[in-house]
């Protein structure tokens, strides 16, 4: 069944939960709560990737995330580190992380492929066209699914040619990263096309801007949890490996529905 990756943003400026979990004790407590609610993996990030966000120096990023990763891994929790920096990925591996989640798919830091190779961790290759200050201007496609798929495929080929074990790779089409709402729906409506690349697929729709347009004016980030949970169910039906979400309770329930639905289906 589809896994749940719970989001733990140890940042002052993430759009939906910025500043809430900046203090390590609060971050650790929140992660433990997410696991109790059904998260299989905790994705710890120290740099906001929202459009226009400030870049974080890897030293500051590591000061935020490494103590939290060490504490969570020490409790037996499967941790991924959400970073574009090779030095942070290496430090996270030393602290016990199991997965490197790189929203740039290795494009932001030329040292990242070597870090993936040396640490031997699983590696999420997300579709990315540029940093948060330029990504919206790069949201142009004639065939969204085909182009995102081809660009991911190029990244995968590059990593495998550098010696990365293909069994360690996970792909993510990168909802909202150089993609408009229309592009995001095209990606979601064609998830099977990404699965045919032959790698586990991760989807991160949680609380993203494109869900806001489905809601009344003035809706909060948390109001996006209901549409997020529906996407989790539909993505699970489409066979994705994992969904990355802020609210684990609603997605856990959505996946229970899928499980029950599938159990009730005649073969
Ligand atoms: N989205 C965000 C951050 N990290 N990682 C992956 N693999 N996929 C995503 O879609 C993704 C990500 C941005 O969302 P946040 O600010 O809520 O963490």
């Amino acid at each position: 069944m589809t896994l749940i990756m719970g989001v733990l943003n140890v940042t002052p400026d993430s759009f939906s939960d910025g500043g809430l979990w900046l203090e390590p004790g609060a971050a650790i407590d929140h992660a433990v709560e997410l696991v109790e609610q059904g998260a299989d993996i905790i994705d710890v990030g120290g740099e906001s990737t929202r459009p226009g966000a400030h870049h974080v120096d890897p030293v500051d990023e590591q000061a935020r995330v490494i103590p939290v990763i060490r504490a969570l891994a020490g409790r037996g929790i499967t941790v991924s580190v959400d970073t574009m920096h090779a030095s942070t990925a290496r430090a996270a591996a030393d602290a016990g992380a199991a997965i490197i989640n790189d929203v740039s798919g290795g494009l932001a830091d030329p040292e990242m492929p070597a870090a993936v190779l040396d640490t031997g961790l699983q590696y999420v290759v997300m579709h990315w066209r540029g940093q948060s200050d330029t990504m919206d201007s790069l949201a142009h496609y004639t065939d969204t699914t085909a182009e995102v798929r081809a660009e991911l495929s190029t990244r995968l080929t590059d990593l495998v040619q550098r010696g990365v074990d293909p069994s360690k790779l996970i792909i993510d089409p990168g909802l909202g990263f150089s993609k408009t709402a229309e592009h995001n729906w095209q990606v979601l409506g064609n998830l099977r096309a990404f699965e045919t690349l032959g790698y586990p697929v991760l989807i991160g729709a949680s609380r993203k801007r494109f869900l806001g347009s489905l809601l009344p004016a003035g809706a909060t980030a948390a109001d996006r949890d209901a549409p997020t949970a529906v996407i989790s169910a539909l993505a699970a039906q489409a066979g994705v490996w994992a969904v990355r979400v802020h609210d684990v309770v609603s997605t856990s329930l959505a996946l229970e529905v899928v499980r029950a639905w599938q159990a009730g289906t005649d073969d």
Side-chain angles (χ1 to χ4, degrees):
M1 191 26 139
T2 300
L3 301 177
I4 302 176
M5 178 183 271
V7 178
L8 184 65
N9 284 321
V10 192
T11 56
D13 58 348
S14 282
F15 74 92
S16 73
D17 56 359
L20 284 179
W21 323 118
L22 199 50
E23 196 270 313
I28 294 161
D29 289 350
H30 182 57
V32 169
E33 187 185 22
L34 294 178
V35 170
E36 285 166 1
Q37 291 168 346
D40 302 285
I41 302 160
I42 298 295
D43 188 41
V44 183
E47 178 175 25
S48 172
T49 47
R50 75 183 159 81
H54 294 296
H55 291 305
V56 175
D57 185 274
V59 174
D60 296 332
E61 181 188 35
Q62 286 158 38
R64 289 178 188 171
V65 301
I66 298 304
V68 175
I69 292 171
R70 187 171 290 114
L72 298 181
R75 289 171 186 243
I77 295 172
T78 303
V79 176
S80 65
V81 59
D82 188 343
T83 186
M84 292 188 273
H85 300 123
S87 60
T88 302
R90 287 181 189 275
D94 288 343
I99 303 170
I100 301 164
N101 173 26
D102 178 1
V103 299
S104 82
L107 291 173
D109 184 341
E111 303 300 323
M112 186 61 97
V116 174
L117 194 58
D118 293 346
T119 61
L121 298 192
Q122 284 182 282
Y123 182 55
V124 177
V125 183
M126 202 191 79
H127 177 259
W128 185 87
R129 284 186 169 180
Q131 296 285 357
S132 49
D133 45 355
T134 57
M135 67 181 181
D136 285 349
S137 67
L138 301 169
H140 299 288
Y141 303 86
T142 45
D143 182 336
T144 311
T145 304
E147 286 166 54
V148 172
R149 188 183 185 281
E151 288 167 34
L152 274 174
S153 182
T154 302
R155 297 302 313 127
L156 294 164
T157 304
D158 177 60
L159 289 158
V160 172
Q161 274 173 357
R162 289 168 190 251
V164 176
D165 177 353
S167 74
K168 305 282 184 187
L169 299 173
I170 296 155
I171 56 171
D172 181 335
L175 297 173
F177 288 80
S178 298
K179 287 168 203 79
T180 63
E182 188 187 4
H183 299 142
N184 292 337
W185 292 117
Q186 287 164 346
V187 163
L188 287 168
N190 296 292
L191 282 180
R192 303 268 184 208
F194 297 96
E195 285 161 6
T196 61
L197 282 167
Y199 294 86
V201 176
L202 171 66
I203 292 294
S206 186
R207 296 188 177 176
K208 284 193 176 157
R209 206 171 19 168
F210 75 114
L211 301 177
S213 59
L214 303 171
L215 294 164
T220 65
D223 290 331
R224 299 178 185 176
D225 290 335
T228 298
V230 176
I231 291 178
S232 295
L234 293 169
Q237 280 282 37
V240 307
W241 168 75
V243 287
R244 179 184 180 278
V245 297
H246 299 83
D247 184 57
V248 171
V249 171
S250 55
T251 275
S252 199
L253 188 57
L255 297 185
E256 278 299 323
V257 172
V258 175
R259 232 173 257 126
W261 183 294
Q262 289 176 350
T265 305
D266 294 334
D267 291 323

